[in-house]
Amino acid sequence: MDVETATMGRAITKEHRIDIQGLRAVCILSVVFYHAHVPGFAGGFVGVDVFFVISGFLIVGMLLDEVEATSRVDLARFWARRVRRLLPNAMLALGVTLLVGALLIPPHAREMLAKEVAFAALNVANYHFAGKAVDYFHFDDQFSPVLHYWSLSIEEQFYIVWPIVLLAASAHPRFRRFAAPVLLGLVWVASFTFCMLVVRDNQPLAFFHTETRCWQLATGGLAAVLVREYGRLPRIFGWLGLLGIVTAIAGLSDRISYPNSYALLPTMSAAAIVLAGRGQRDVSSLLGQPPFQWVGARSYSW
């Protein structure tokens, strides 16, 4: 759940994307209300799916801007910015978790807590929970205070791998324009297919595994390419996208084996919003309201 909404939104659209900032508020509130068992949020876990799309859109758009301007990607600068923005809050939360755990949990459970904190700090928590076959929807059975780091781990892995892949694929001027859409398209097809196959027999693996989730990040990346090449969708698509996300939050539940084909609803709905957003006189008239902007600006920390 990255926090570079305003800066990277301008890099793609040359304007402050208050719709994306407000959409972050919808995402984090839906996840929190789902875990709090608030009525009407039975499918609130899809907020993470929407976060993936937003991250893919902003990160890919920013990298494409850099490749276009300089014909290269400054990897050190890119990764340093991710560290400065994400690491302080992430490490603070892990440190407090260790401290509180040492004071409150039984001695026999402290070793496992320390291991899980280490996995989270190394950005591989998702693989750890997939390997343990943790059921996210019944996490009380195998409770971990760092379970929520699974999604940050996937995003961090994306931030590490994708710039390298894009830089290598864009090295030759002839292929530079087509590198991103072709690679993202291949990732989308392979990842989505893998997810649909795996979820039938191993739902925890499908839920936590990077390879079953990166199609959602690729969806956001492809949206960034489409905005650059063809412009924005009509404003109505933003409203339809918001309706789709609300429908997924209210209509889905943890009784289904997720992520299955139902994950297309929140994912494509989020893509519709970022493709249609203009920052004014669209879905931003709702998402741009101060409460949404305030929560959205704090969504990563929350």
Side-chain angles (χ1 to χ4, degrees):
M1 302 178 183
D2 199 356
V3 293
E4 301 194 6
T5 303
T7 301
M8 292 189 293
R10 282 194 292 270
I12 298 172
T13 64
K14 309 303 181 184
E15 61 190 352
H16 179 35
R17 293 294 300 269
I18 60 175
D19 56 331
I20 293 179
Q21 187 79 304
L23 187 57
R24 288 185 178 277
V26 174
C27 294
I28 190 62
L29 290 173
S30 69
V31 172
V32 171
F33 289 168
Y34 161 74
H35 285 294
H37 304 293
V38 175
F41 289 85
F45 52 85
V46 303
V48 178
D49 303 52
V50 179
F51 271 121
F52 286 153
V53 175
I54 293 173
S55 292
F57 177 76
L58 297 177
I59 289 293
V60 169
M62 183 186 68
L63 291 171
L64 290 178
D65 285 336
E66 185 173 354
V67 169
E68 184 179 278
T70 66
S71 300
R72 61 188 296 270
V73 175
D74 188 336
L75 295 176
R77 179 173 174 269
F78 176 83
W79 288 330
R81 289 180 64 183
R82 303 290 84 69
V83 168
R84 287 196 301 269
R85 291 179 179 274
L86 300 178
L87 199 61
N89 284 349
M91 293 299 104
L92 175 62
L94 291 177
V96 171
T97 299
L98 274 178
L99 177 61
V100 174
L103 296 174
L104 297 182
I105 67 174
H108 70 272
R110 293 172 188 168
E111 182 179 356
M112 178 54 67
L113 173 63
K115 288 181 179 179
E116 292 187 337
V117 168
F119 286 126
L122 293 173
N123 299 312
V124 292
N126 63 312
Y127 287 117
H128 168 69
F129 293 123
K132 288 182 62 178
V134 171
D135 188 342
Y136 179 84
F137 299 120
H138 299 90
F139 59 90
D140 289 336
D141 297 337
Q142 296 175 293
F143 178 75
S144 169
V146 296
L147 180 63
H148 56 296
Y149 274 76
W150 74 270
S151 59
L152 181 60
S153 295
I154 290 177
E155 294 201 16
E156 292 282 20
Q157 293 159 22
F158 172 72
Y159 299 157
I160 293 171
V161 174
W162 176 249
I164 298 175
V165 173
L166 182 61
L167 178 62
S170 303
H172 197 289
R174 176 183 295 181
F175 305 111
R176 189 168 296 150
R177 181 178 180 183
F178 305 102
V182 170
L183 288 171
L184 287 166
L186 291 174
V187 168
W188 199 102
V189 172
S191 174
F192 182 77
T193 302
F194 183 50
C195 182
M196 295 303 104
L197 293 174
V198 169
V199 74
R200 301 173 184 173
D201 302 316
N202 193 334
Q203 187 274 333
L205 182 67
F207 190 91
F208 291 113
H209 213 273
T210 301
E211 284 79 352
T212 61
R213 287 289 193 163
C214 56
W215 68 274
Q216 296 177 305
L217 289 153
T219 298
L222 287 168
V225 172
L226 291 173
V227 165
R228 295 169 60 87
E229 295 294 329
Y230 304 106
R232 302 178 177 96
L233 292 175
R235 291 183 177 91
I236 186 62
F237 282 88
W239 290 106
L240 292 174
L242 185 60
L243 176 62
I245 291 172
V246 171
T247 300
I249 291 172
L252 299 181
S253 75
D254 53 21
R255 292 189 296 272
I256 63 176
S257 184
Y258 195 87
N260 53 18
S261 57
Y262 287 116
L264 286 166
L265 178 58
T267 303
M268 295 307 173
S269 296
I273 292 176
V274 299
L275 280 169
R278 287 163 169 76
Q280 56 183 352
R281 297 190 305 278
D282 57 5
V283 71
S284 301
S285 60
L286 174 61
L287 296 178
Q289 295 300 310
F292 285 109
Q293 296 296 294
W294 189 89
V295 174
R298 294 157 178 80
S299 59
Y300 171 66
S301 298
W302 195 351

